[in-house]
């Protein structure tokens, strides 16, 4: 299951990287919808994170995925330079791609690692709605919010 999720994540990461490098009108519009603005500094920040995530995806050992008997998708310790990812029960039941999927979960969790992007989970009660509101408000916290980053991979 993890190997398949990593393969699909790799495809999604490469697709998003190409979009960021192409940086055409459609890419900018999508970026604005998710992050609230489309300046070069923001584009480079996210592109750099995607490149680091591609490297992690290609090198992470399968035994870095630790099964948890908890009703969550996944969790990480952001300071863990070994990049261990705790996989909960919801992950196993999630679709491979799309919203609330295994691929999106891996992207979300990997973004937390301090050496990737160091994102945080913002918006306790309804984090996805909070992410969208940050983007509408053009709030720079979108660059640090794991849920905005997650939305980029849906």
């Amino acid at each position: 299951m993890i190997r398949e999720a990593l393969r699909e994540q790799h495809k999604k990461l490469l697709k998003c990287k190409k979009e960021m490098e192409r940086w055409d009108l459609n890419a900018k519009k999508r970026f604005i919808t998710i992050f609230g603005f489309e300046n070069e500094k923001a584009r480079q920040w996210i592109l750099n994170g995607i490149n680091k995530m591609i490297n992690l995806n290609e090198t992470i050992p399968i035994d870095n995925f630790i099964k948890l008997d908890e009703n969550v998708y996944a969790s990480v310790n952001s300071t863990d330079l070994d990049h261990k990812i705790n996989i909960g029960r919801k992950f196993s039941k999630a679709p491979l791609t799309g919203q609330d999927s295994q691929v999106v979960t891996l992207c979300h969790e990997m973004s937390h690692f301090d050496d990737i992007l160091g994102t945080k989970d913002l918006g306790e009660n309804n984090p996805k709605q909070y992410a969208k509101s940050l983007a509408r408000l053009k709030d720079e916290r979108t660059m640090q919010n794991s849920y905005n980053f997650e939305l980029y991979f849906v």
Side-chain angles (χ1 to χ4, degrees), residues 7 30 42 53 65 73 92:
R7 274 192 299 277
R30 193 164 95 82
M53 203 175 289
F65 295 89
Y73 286 95
S92 302

Side-chain angles (χ1 to χ4, degrees), residues 21-35:
E21 291 172 340
R22 189 175 62 247
W23 204 233
D24 61 9
L25 185 61
N26 288 334
K28 289 177 182 179
K29 283 181 181 179
R30 193 164 95 82
F31 195 90
I32 290 169
T33 300
I34 295 166
F35 296 105

